Amino acid sequence: MTVTLLVSLVIAVLAGMLVWEFRRRREAEAKASRYLATLTHIDRLSMMGLLTASLTHELHQPLGAILRNSEAAKMLLSSGCTSLAEINDIVEDIRKDDHRAAEIIRRMKVLLRKHEFSRERVDVNELVTETVMFLTPTARAQHVEVETNLHANPPIVEGDRVHLQQVLLNLILNGFDAMTRTPPASRNLVVSTIGVNSQIEISVSDRGSGIPGDEIADIFEPFVTTKADGMGIGLSIARSIIEAHSGRIVAENNAGGGATVRFSIPAHGHV
Amino acid sequence: MMLSGPLVVVVDDDPAVLKAFGRVLRAAGFDTATYSSAEDYLAAPPTRRVHCLVLDVQLSGMSGLDLQRLLRSRGSTLPVIILTAFDDETVRRDAWTAGCAGYFDKQTDVDVVLRLIRSF
């Protein structure tokens, strides 16, 4: 009887310890998850900081057009122009450019906001096209020619559009950085989307200096960077994001020079 | 409206900016020839005498500054005005070194730009 009591007591204590350990681990995981979300946000903010010049340039285009159009309208009106059709055209163009500027700001806000992981249908081709367009002023400023090779039958994935865009932005900006010492005429970056089995693979390939052999194995580890002023978290965040999508990400050097980073995520059918 | 004023060439790869700038120049009495890229201009420059060139700095393909340098190297004396979406110290210096007649950002009052164009 005493032995039974003792055994029951031991089991109860062990069970209590297990429950306590389970709760402790769950709390630790929740904390780690919150830290990761914050770090992901910080990484995205730091990238947006790098893109300030590019974003400013993009905004100045519709604003510049609005200014010129309103100046044209004023001139026409003060010169006694009676063509209402022409004034109407001008006003319509001003309206369109206002919407264009507002859309640029909306996109910026989406990327700047803190963002909880969410699931939605994402058209990867559309994501690549939008991201490349977003980076056009930056590419031009660095004399990089960006090409896209998109899968003919646009694949759909289910995932977090903001986070996937963050990965893509990170990889493309890394590609630009890798080519700062490449002669301008050879600065070529290719973004491709390919269907491989039931996965979608997106790859970003540059013609830069490549990844040093002794660093390639650790390139996705945090705080590993080849940049003097880099934080070294971008690629580790990218890996976390892709793994959260049940995908994988790899980096390799190209036979003809430069490097390619590719990530694949499960596809969920087509458009 | 009779478009027989001096011919101003505008090169800008943003369609909205190109259209609006062309419009304001015509409202001010100039004739205009618009191009979306330096390459397009080089492939088919106007046959009429050109009064001056207004070039955006950032173009797809050859930049506005490179176009200016190319024209200078070919002995062109056409006045070139450089326009930019955002002011940048380096670009401004490069533009002046390359011999531009004027350098403005896209928020500059059009009267200032027109005054310069009329002075050529």
Side-chain angles (χ1 to χ4, degrees), chain A residues 90-143:
Chain A
I90 291 175
V91 166
E92 178 56 26
D93 281 348
I94 290 174
R95 199 186 66 86
K96 277 193 217 148
D97 278 319
D98 173 276
H99 283 316
R100 189 176 143 193
E103 175 57 26
I104 292 165
I105 294 169
R106 186 201 66 84
R107 227 187 317 126
M108 269 168 66
K109 272 170 66 176
V110 165
L111 286 168
L112 285 167
R113 256 199 313 251
K114 189 145 195 238
H115 179 85
E116 297 299 319
F117 191 88
S118 68
R119 271 206 182 287
E120 59 186 309
R121 285 162 67 84
V122 178
D123 177 339
V124 292
N125 280 359
E126 197 246 334
L127 181 70
V128 167
T129 307
E130 185 192 273
T131 309
V132 166
M133 251 176 52
F134 192 60
L135 289 174
T136 299
T138 310
R140 294 244 187 99
Q142 298 191 37
H143 305 284

Short mmCIF file of all heavy atoms in Angstrom, two decimals, chain A residues 90-143:
data_model
loop_
_atom_site.label_atom_id
_atom_site.label_comp_id
_atom_site.label_asym_id
_atom_site.label_seq_id
_atom_site.Cartn_x
_atom_site.Cartn_y
_atom_site.Cartn_z
N ILE A 90 -6.57 67.32 -69.31
CA ILE A 90 -5.54 67.66 -68.32
C ILE A 90 -6.00 67.25 -66.93
O ILE A 90 -5.27 66.63 -66.16
CB ILE A 90 -5.22 69.17 -68.38
CG1 ILE A 90 -4.51 69.50 -69.69
CG2 ILE A 90 -4.35 69.58 -67.18
CD1 ILE A 90 -4.27 70.99 -69.90
N VAL A 91 -7.23 67.61 -66.61
CA VAL A 91 -7.76 67.31 -65.28
C VAL A 91 -7.83 65.80 -65.05
O VAL A 91 -7.51 65.31 -63.96
CB VAL A 91 -9.15 67.99 -65.12
CG1 VAL A 91 -9.88 67.45 -63.91
CG2 VAL A 91 -8.98 69.50 -64.99
N GLU A 92 -8.20 65.06 -66.09
CA GLU A 92 -8.27 63.60 -66.00
C GLU A 92 -6.88 63.01 -65.75
O GLU A 92 -6.72 62.10 -64.93
CB GLU A 92 -8.88 63.03 -67.29
CG GLU A 92 -8.96 61.52 -67.34
CD GLU A 92 -9.72 60.86 -66.19
OE1 GLU A 92 -10.60 61.52 -65.59
OE2 GLU A 92 -9.39 59.71 -65.86
N ASP A 93 -5.87 63.57 -66.41
CA ASP A 93 -4.50 63.07 -66.21
C ASP A 93 -4.03 63.38 -64.78
O ASP A 93 -3.32 62.58 -64.16
CB ASP A 93 -3.54 63.69 -67.23
CG ASP A 93 -3.64 63.01 -68.59
OD1 ASP A 93 -4.28 61.94 -68.67
OD2 ASP A 93 -3.09 63.56 -69.57
N ILE A 94 -4.42 64.54 -64.27
CA ILE A 94 -4.06 64.90 -62.88
C ILE A 94 -4.67 63.89 -61.92
O ILE A 94 -4.03 63.40 -60.99
CB ILE A 94 -4.50 66.34 -62.55
CG1 ILE A 94 -3.63 67.34 -63.31
CG2 ILE A 94 -4.43 66.61 -61.04
CD1 ILE A 94 -4.07 68.80 -63.17
N ARG A 95 -5.92 63.55 -62.17
CA ARG A 95 -6.62 62.58 -61.32
C ARG A 95 -5.89 61.23 -61.35
O ARG A 95 -5.63 60.62 -60.31
CB ARG A 95 -8.06 62.44 -61.80
CG ARG A 95 -9.02 61.85 -60.80
CD ARG A 95 -10.38 61.62 -61.46
NE ARG A 95 -10.31 60.62 -62.49
CZ ARG A 95 -10.42 59.31 -62.27
NH1 ARG A 95 -10.61 58.86 -61.06
NH2 ARG A 95 -10.33 58.46 -63.28
N LYS A 96 -5.52 60.79 -62.55
CA LYS A 96 -4.84 59.48 -62.67
C LYS A 96 -3.51 59.49 -61.94
O LYS A 96 -3.13 58.51 -61.30
CB LYS A 96 -4.57 59.17 -64.16
CG LYS A 96 -5.74 58.58 -64.88
CD LYS A 96 -5.28 58.01 -66.24
CE LYS A 96 -6.34 58.24 -67.29
NZ LYS A 96 -5.81 58.44 -68.64
N ASP A 97 -2.77 60.59 -62.06
CA ASP A 97 -1.45 60.64 -61.41
C ASP A 97 -1.57 60.72 -59.90
O ASP A 97 -0.70 60.24 -59.18
CB ASP A 97 -0.62 61.80 -61.97
CG ASP A 97 0.06 61.41 -63.27
OD1 ASP A 97 0.55 60.27 -63.35
OD2 ASP A 97 0.09 62.24 -64.21
N ASP A 98 -2.65 61.32 -59.44
CA ASP A 98 -2.89 61.34 -58.00
C ASP A 98 -3.07 59.90 -57.51
O ASP A 98 -2.47 59.49 -56.51
CB ASP A 98 -4.12 62.17 -57.67
CG ASP A 98 -4.48 62.06 -56.19
OD1 ASP A 98 -5.18 61.09 -55.81
OD2 ASP A 98 -4.03 62.92 -55.42
N HIS A 99 -3.86 59.13 -58.22
CA HIS A 99 -4.09 57.72 -57.85
C HIS A 99 -2.80 56.94 -57.88
O HIS A 99 -2.54 56.08 -57.03
CB HIS A 99 -5.11 57.07 -58.80
CG HIS A 99 -6.52 57.45 -58.51
ND1 HIS A 99 -7.03 57.48 -57.24
CD2 HIS A 99 -7.53 57.80 -59.33
CE1 HIS A 99 -8.30 57.85 -57.29
NE2 HIS A 99 -8.63 58.05 -58.55
N ARG A 100 -1.97 57.26 -58.88
CA ARG A 100 -0.68 56.56 -59.01
C ARG A 100 0.21 56.83 -57.80
O ARG A 100 0.82 55.93 -57.24
CB ARG A 100 -0.02 57.06 -60.29
CG ARG A 100 1.21 56.31 -60.71
CD ARG A 100 1.68 56.87 -62.03
NE ARG A 100 3.12 56.89 -62.08
CZ ARG A 100 3.83 57.55 -62.98
NH1 ARG A 100 3.23 58.24 -63.92
NH2 ARG A 100 5.13 57.52 -62.95
N ALA A 101 0.25 58.10 -57.38
CA ALA A 101 1.05 58.47 -56.20
C ALA A 101 0.49 57.79 -54.95
O ALA A 101 1.25 57.26 -54.12
CB ALA A 101 1.07 59.99 -56.02
N ALA A 102 -0.83 57.77 -54.84
CA ALA A 102 -1.47 57.16 -53.67
C ALA A 102 -1.16 55.66 -53.62
O ALA A 102 -0.94 55.10 -52.54
CB ALA A 102 -2.97 57.40 -53.71
N GLU A 103 -1.10 55.02 -54.77
CA GLU A 103 -0.81 53.59 -54.83
C GLU A 103 0.63 53.31 -54.38
O GLU A 103 0.90 52.33 -53.67
CB GLU A 103 -1.05 53.07 -56.26
CG GLU A 103 -0.67 51.62 -56.51
CD GLU A 103 -1.35 50.61 -55.61
OE1 GLU A 103 -2.47 50.89 -55.10
OE2 GLU A 103 -0.77 49.54 -55.38
N ILE A 104 1.55 54.20 -54.77
CA ILE A 104 2.95 54.03 -54.35
C ILE A 104 3.03 54.13 -52.83
O ILE A 104 3.71 53.34 -52.16
CB ILE A 104 3.85 55.10 -55.02
CG1 ILE A 104 3.94 54.84 -56.52
CG2 ILE A 104 5.24 55.13 -54.39
CD1 ILE A 104 4.48 56.01 -57.33
N ILE A 105 2.31 55.11 -52.27
CA ILE A 105 2.32 55.30 -50.82
C ILE A 105 1.66 54.12 -50.12
O ILE A 105 2.14 53.63 -49.10
CB ILE A 105 1.62 56.63 -50.44
CG1 ILE A 105 2.44 57.81 -50.95
CG2 ILE A 105 1.43 56.73 -48.93
CD1 ILE A 105 1.74 59.14 -50.86
N ARG A 106 0.58 53.60 -50.69
CA ARG A 106 -0.11 52.45 -50.11
C ARG A 106 0.83 51.25 -50.05
O ARG A 106 0.93 50.56 -49.03
CB ARG A 106 -1.36 52.11 -50.94
CG ARG A 106 -2.23 51.02 -50.32
CD ARG A 106 -3.13 50.36 -51.36
NE ARG A 106 -2.39 49.61 -52.35
CZ ARG A 106 -1.96 48.36 -52.19
NH1 ARG A 106 -2.20 47.73 -51.06
NH2 ARG A 106 -1.29 47.77 -53.15
N ARG A 107 1.58 51.03 -51.14
CA ARG A 107 2.51 49.90 -51.18
C ARG A 107 3.60 50.07 -50.14
O ARG A 107 4.03 49.12 -49.51
CB ARG A 107 3.15 49.82 -52.58
CG ARG A 107 3.13 48.43 -53.13
CD ARG A 107 3.87 48.25 -54.40
NE ARG A 107 3.70 49.26 -55.40
CZ ARG A 107 4.70 49.92 -55.98
NH1 ARG A 107 5.92 49.71 -55.61
NH2 ARG A 107 4.46 50.81 -56.91
N MET A 108 4.06 51.29 -49.98
CA MET A 108 5.09 51.57 -48.97
C MET A 108 4.55 51.27 -47.59
O MET A 108 5.22 50.66 -46.77
CB MET A 108 5.47 53.06 -49.00
CG MET A 108 6.60 53.39 -49.90
SD MET A 108 6.72 55.18 -50.14
CE MET A 108 7.16 55.72 -48.50
N LYS A 109 3.33 51.71 -47.33
CA LYS A 109 2.73 51.49 -46.00
C LYS A 109 2.63 50.01 -45.69
O LYS A 109 2.92 49.57 -44.59
CB LYS A 109 1.34 52.12 -45.94
CG LYS A 109 1.37 53.58 -45.52
CD LYS A 109 0.03 54.25 -45.69
CE LYS A 109 -1.03 53.71 -44.75
NZ LYS A 109 -2.30 54.46 -44.87
N VAL A 110 2.21 49.22 -46.69
CA VAL A 110 2.07 47.78 -46.48
C VAL A 110 3.40 47.17 -46.06
O VAL A 110 3.47 46.36 -45.14
CB VAL A 110 1.54 47.09 -47.76
CG1 VAL A 110 1.72 45.59 -47.70
CG2 VAL A 110 0.09 47.43 -47.98
N LEU A 111 4.47 47.61 -46.71
CA LEU A 111 5.78 47.04 -46.41
C LEU A 111 6.36 47.57 -45.11
O LEU A 111 7.14 46.91 -44.45
CB LEU A 111 6.75 47.31 -47.56
CG LEU A 111 6.50 46.47 -48.81
CD1 LEU A 111 7.29 46.99 -49.99
CD2 LEU A 111 6.83 45.01 -48.57
N LEU A 112 5.97 48.80 -44.73
CA LEU A 112 6.54 49.39 -43.52
C LEU A 112 5.84 48.92 -42.25
O LEU A 112 6.43 48.88 -41.17
CB LEU A 112 6.44 50.93 -43.58
CG LEU A 112 7.43 51.62 -44.52
CD1 LEU A 112 7.04 53.07 -44.73
CD2 LEU A 112 8.84 51.55 -43.97
N ARG A 113 4.55 48.56 -42.40
CA ARG A 113 3.78 48.16 -41.20
C ARG A 113 4.29 46.86 -40.63
O ARG A 113 4.77 46.00 -41.36
CB ARG A 113 2.33 47.92 -41.63
CG ARG A 113 1.36 49.00 -41.27
CD ARG A 113 -0.06 48.46 -41.31
NE ARG A 113 -0.36 47.70 -42.48
CZ ARG A 113 -1.17 48.11 -43.45
NH1 ARG A 113 -1.73 49.29 -43.39
NH2 ARG A 113 -1.42 47.31 -44.47
N LYS A 114 4.11 46.71 -39.34
CA LYS A 114 4.39 45.41 -38.72
C LYS A 114 3.30 44.46 -39.20
O LYS A 114 2.15 44.85 -39.34
CB LYS A 114 4.35 45.52 -37.20
CG LYS A 114 4.85 44.26 -36.52
CD LYS A 114 5.60 44.54 -35.25
CE LYS A 114 6.38 43.28 -34.85
NZ LYS A 114 6.04 42.79 -33.54
N HIS A 115 3.66 43.26 -39.50
CA HIS A 115 2.76 42.38 -40.22
C HIS A 115 2.75 40.98 -39.63
O HIS A 115 3.80 40.35 -39.54
CB HIS A 115 3.23 42.37 -41.68
CG HIS A 115 2.44 41.51 -42.58
ND1 HIS A 115 1.28 41.91 -43.18
CD2 HIS A 115 2.66 40.24 -42.97
CE1 HIS A 115 0.82 40.92 -43.92
NE2 HIS A 115 1.62 39.90 -43.82
N GLU A 116 1.60 40.54 -39.22
CA GLU A 116 1.48 39.17 -38.70
C GLU A 116 1.45 38.22 -39.88
O GLU A 116 0.90 38.54 -40.93
CB GLU A 116 0.17 39.01 -37.90
CG GLU A 116 0.09 39.90 -36.67
CD GLU A 116 1.19 39.61 -35.67
OE1 GLU A 116 1.50 38.42 -35.45
OE2 GLU A 116 1.76 40.55 -35.12
N PHE A 117 1.99 37.05 -39.69
CA PHE A 117 1.99 36.04 -40.76
C PHE A 117 0.56 35.74 -41.17
O PHE A 117 -0.29 35.48 -40.33
CB PHE A 117 2.68 34.76 -40.26
CG PHE A 117 2.95 33.77 -41.35
CD1 PHE A 117 4.12 33.81 -42.07
CD2 PHE A 117 2.01 32.80 -41.68
CE1 PHE A 117 4.38 32.91 -43.10
CE2 PHE A 117 2.25 31.89 -42.70
CZ PHE A 117 3.44 31.94 -43.40
N SER A 118 0.29 35.80 -42.47
CA SER A 118 -1.08 35.51 -42.92
C SER A 118 -1.02 34.63 -44.15
O SER A 118 0.03 34.46 -44.77
CB SER A 118 -1.79 36.82 -43.25
OG SER A 118 -1.20 37.42 -44.38
N ARG A 119 -2.15 34.07 -44.51
CA ARG A 119 -2.22 33.20 -45.68
C ARG A 119 -3.17 33.78 -46.70
O ARG A 119 -4.30 34.13 -46.37
CB ARG A 119 -2.74 31.81 -45.27
CG ARG A 119 -1.64 30.89 -44.87
CD ARG A 119 -2.01 29.43 -45.07
NE ARG A 119 -0.92 28.60 -44.62
CZ ARG A 119 0.25 28.45 -45.26
NH1 ARG A 119 0.45 29.05 -46.37
NH2 ARG A 119 1.21 27.71 -44.78
N GLU A 120 -2.71 33.87 -47.94
CA GLU A 120 -3.60 34.31 -49.02
C GLU A 120 -3.06 33.72 -50.31
O GLU A 120 -1.92 33.24 -50.35
CB GLU A 120 -3.60 35.84 -49.10
CG GLU A 120 -2.22 36.41 -49.36
CD GLU A 120 -2.14 37.93 -49.32
OE1 GLU A 120 -2.96 38.59 -50.00
OE2 GLU A 120 -1.27 38.45 -48.61
N ARG A 121 -3.87 33.76 -51.36
CA ARG A 121 -3.40 33.27 -52.64
C ARG A 121 -2.46 34.31 -53.25
O ARG A 121 -2.79 35.49 -53.32
CB ARG A 121 -4.59 33.02 -53.58
CG ARG A 121 -5.37 31.77 -53.23
CD ARG A 121 -6.76 31.80 -53.86
NE ARG A 121 -6.73 31.73 -55.31
CZ ARG A 121 -6.65 30.61 -56.01
NH1 ARG A 121 -6.59 29.45 -55.39
NH2 ARG A 121 -6.65 30.63 -57.34
N VAL A 122 -1.30 33.87 -53.64
CA VAL A 122 -0.30 34.79 -54.20
C VAL A 122 0.09 34.32 -55.60
O VAL A 122 0.46 33.17 -55.78
CB VAL A 122 0.98 34.81 -53.31
CG1 VAL A 122 2.04 35.72 -53.91
CG2 VAL A 122 0.66 35.23 -51.88
N ASP A 123 -0.02 35.23 -56.55
CA ASP A 123 0.43 34.93 -57.92
C ASP A 123 1.91 35.31 -57.98
O ASP A 123 2.24 36.50 -57.92
CB ASP A 123 -0.40 35.76 -58.91
CG ASP A 123 0.03 35.57 -60.36
OD1 ASP A 123 1.18 35.16 -60.61
OD2 ASP A 123 -0.77 35.85 -61.25
N VAL A 124 2.79 34.33 -58.06
CA VAL A 124 4.23 34.62 -57.95
C VAL A 124 4.74 35.47 -59.11
O VAL A 124 5.65 36.29 -58.93
CB VAL A 124 5.10 33.34 -57.80
CG1 VAL A 124 4.84 32.68 -56.47
CG2 VAL A 124 4.90 32.38 -58.94
N ASN A 125 4.17 35.28 -60.30
CA ASN A 125 4.61 36.09 -61.44
C ASN A 125 4.30 37.56 -61.20
O ASN A 125 5.12 38.45 -61.45
CB ASN A 125 3.93 35.64 -62.73
CG ASN A 125 4.59 34.40 -63.32
OD1 ASN A 125 5.56 33.90 -62.77
ND2 ASN A 125 4.07 33.92 -64.43
N GLU A 126 3.10 37.79 -60.70
CA GLU A 126 2.67 39.16 -60.42
C GLU A 126 3.53 39.75 -59.31
O GLU A 126 3.91 40.92 -59.34
CB GLU A 126 1.19 39.10 -60.02
CG GLU A 126 0.47 40.42 -60.08
CD GLU A 126 0.05 40.86 -58.69
OE1 GLU A 126 -0.13 39.98 -57.82
OE2 GLU A 126 -0.08 42.06 -58.47
N LEU A 127 3.89 38.91 -58.32
CA LEU A 127 4.73 39.36 -57.21
C LEU A 127 6.11 39.76 -57.73
O LEU A 127 6.66 40.81 -57.37
CB LEU A 127 4.87 38.24 -56.18
CG LEU A 127 5.70 38.57 -54.95
CD1 LEU A 127 4.98 39.58 -54.07
CD2 LEU A 127 6.00 37.32 -54.14
N VAL A 128 6.68 38.92 -58.61
CA VAL A 128 8.00 39.20 -59.17
C VAL A 128 7.95 40.49 -60.01
O VAL A 128 8.81 41.37 -59.85
CB VAL A 128 8.52 38.02 -60.04
CG1 VAL A 128 9.72 38.43 -60.87
CG2 VAL A 128 8.86 36.83 -59.15
N THR A 129 6.94 40.60 -60.85
CA THR A 129 6.82 41.78 -61.72
C THR A 129 6.71 43.06 -60.89
O THR A 129 7.39 44.06 -61.15
CB THR A 129 5.60 41.66 -62.65
OG1 THR A 129 5.68 40.41 -63.33
CG2 THR A 129 5.55 42.78 -63.66
N GLU A 130 5.86 43.02 -59.88
CA GLU A 130 5.68 44.20 -59.03
C GLU A 130 6.97 44.56 -58.30
O GLU A 130 7.36 45.73 -58.24
CB GLU A 130 4.58 43.95 -57.99
CG GLU A 130 4.28 45.21 -57.18
CD GLU A 130 3.41 44.94 -55.96
OE1 GLU A 130 2.19 44.95 -56.12
OE2 GLU A 130 3.96 44.71 -54.87
N THR A 131 7.65 43.54 -57.76
CA THR A 131 8.88 43.79 -57.01
C THR A 131 9.98 44.36 -57.91
O THR A 131 10.68 45.29 -57.51
CB THR A 131 9.36 42.49 -56.34
OG1 THR A 131 8.28 41.90 -55.63
CG2 THR A 131 10.50 42.77 -55.37
N VAL A 132 10.10 43.82 -59.11
CA VAL A 132 11.12 44.31 -60.03
C VAL A 132 10.82 45.77 -60.42
O VAL A 132 11.72 46.60 -60.46
CB VAL A 132 11.21 43.40 -61.28
CG1 VAL A 132 12.01 44.06 -62.39
CG2 VAL A 132 11.84 42.07 -60.90
N MET A 133 9.55 46.06 -60.64
CA MET A 133 9.16 47.44 -61.00
C MET A 133 9.48 48.40 -59.86
O MET A 133 9.95 49.51 -60.06
CB MET A 133 7.66 47.50 -61.28
CG MET A 133 7.37 47.71 -62.74
SD MET A 133 5.65 47.68 -63.14
CE MET A 133 4.94 48.85 -61.98
N PHE A 134 9.20 47.94 -58.68
CA PHE A 134 9.46 48.69 -57.45
C PHE A 134 10.93 49.05 -57.36
O PHE A 134 11.30 50.12 -56.89
CB PHE A 134 9.05 47.76 -56.30
CG PHE A 134 8.96 48.39 -54.96
CD1 PHE A 134 8.08 49.42 -54.73
CD2 PHE A 134 9.72 47.91 -53.92
CE1 PHE A 134 7.97 49.98 -53.47
CE2 PHE A 134 9.60 48.47 -52.66
CZ PHE A 134 8.74 49.49 -52.43
N LEU A 135 11.79 48.14 -57.81
CA LEU A 135 13.23 48.33 -57.69
C LEU A 135 13.86 48.96 -58.92
O LEU A 135 15.08 49.13 -58.98
CB LEU A 135 13.92 46.99 -57.40
CG LEU A 135 13.67 46.45 -56.00
CD1 LEU A 135 14.26 45.06 -55.84
CD2 LEU A 135 14.26 47.36 -54.94
N THR A 136 13.05 49.33 -59.92
CA THR A 136 13.60 49.89 -61.16
C THR A 136 14.48 51.12 -60.93
O THR A 136 15.59 51.17 -61.44
CB THR A 136 12.48 50.19 -62.18
OG1 THR A 136 11.82 48.97 -62.49
CG2 THR A 136 13.05 50.77 -63.46
N PRO A 137 14.02 52.12 -60.15
CA PRO A 137 14.91 53.28 -59.94
C PRO A 137 16.24 52.89 -59.29
O PRO A 137 17.28 53.42 -59.66
CB PRO A 137 14.09 54.20 -59.02
CG PRO A 137 12.68 53.82 -59.26
CD PRO A 137 12.69 52.35 -59.51
N THR A 138 16.20 51.95 -58.35
CA THR A 138 17.44 51.50 -57.70
C THR A 138 18.33 50.80 -58.71
O THR A 138 19.55 51.02 -58.74
CB THR A 138 17.12 50.53 -56.53
OG1 THR A 138 16.15 51.12 -55.69
CG2 THR A 138 18.37 50.22 -55.73
N ALA A 139 17.72 49.95 -59.54
CA ALA A 139 18.50 49.23 -60.56
C ALA A 139 19.16 50.23 -61.50
O ALA A 139 20.34 50.10 -61.84
CB ALA A 139 17.59 48.27 -61.33
N ARG A 140 18.38 51.24 -61.93
CA ARG A 140 18.92 52.22 -62.87
C ARG A 140 20.08 52.99 -62.25
O ARG A 140 21.10 53.22 -62.88
CB ARG A 140 17.84 53.25 -63.25
CG ARG A 140 16.73 52.63 -64.01
CD ARG A 140 16.63 53.19 -65.40
NE ARG A 140 15.41 52.64 -65.98
CZ ARG A 140 14.28 53.30 -66.03
NH1 ARG A 140 14.22 54.55 -65.60
NH2 ARG A 140 13.22 52.73 -66.54
N ALA A 141 19.88 53.38 -60.97
CA ALA A 141 20.94 54.16 -60.29
C ALA A 141 22.22 53.36 -60.20
O ALA A 141 23.32 53.90 -60.21
CB ALA A 141 20.47 54.57 -58.90
N GLN A 142 22.11 52.02 -60.13
CA GLN A 142 23.31 51.18 -60.03
C GLN A 142 23.68 50.55 -61.36
O GLN A 142 24.54 49.67 -61.42
CB GLN A 142 23.09 50.09 -58.97
CG GLN A 142 22.86 50.71 -57.59
CD GLN A 142 22.89 49.68 -56.49
OE1 GLN A 142 23.67 48.74 -56.55
NE2 GLN A 142 22.06 49.86 -55.49
N HIS A 143 23.03 50.99 -62.43
CA HIS A 143 23.31 50.49 -63.78
C HIS A 143 23.17 48.98 -63.90
O HIS A 143 23.97 48.32 -64.55
CB HIS A 143 24.74 50.91 -64.23
CG HIS A 143 24.96 52.39 -64.15
ND1 HIS A 143 24.44 53.27 -65.07
CD2 HIS A 143 25.60 53.14 -63.23
CE1 HIS A 143 24.77 54.51 -64.72
NE2 HIS A 143 25.47 54.46 -63.61
#
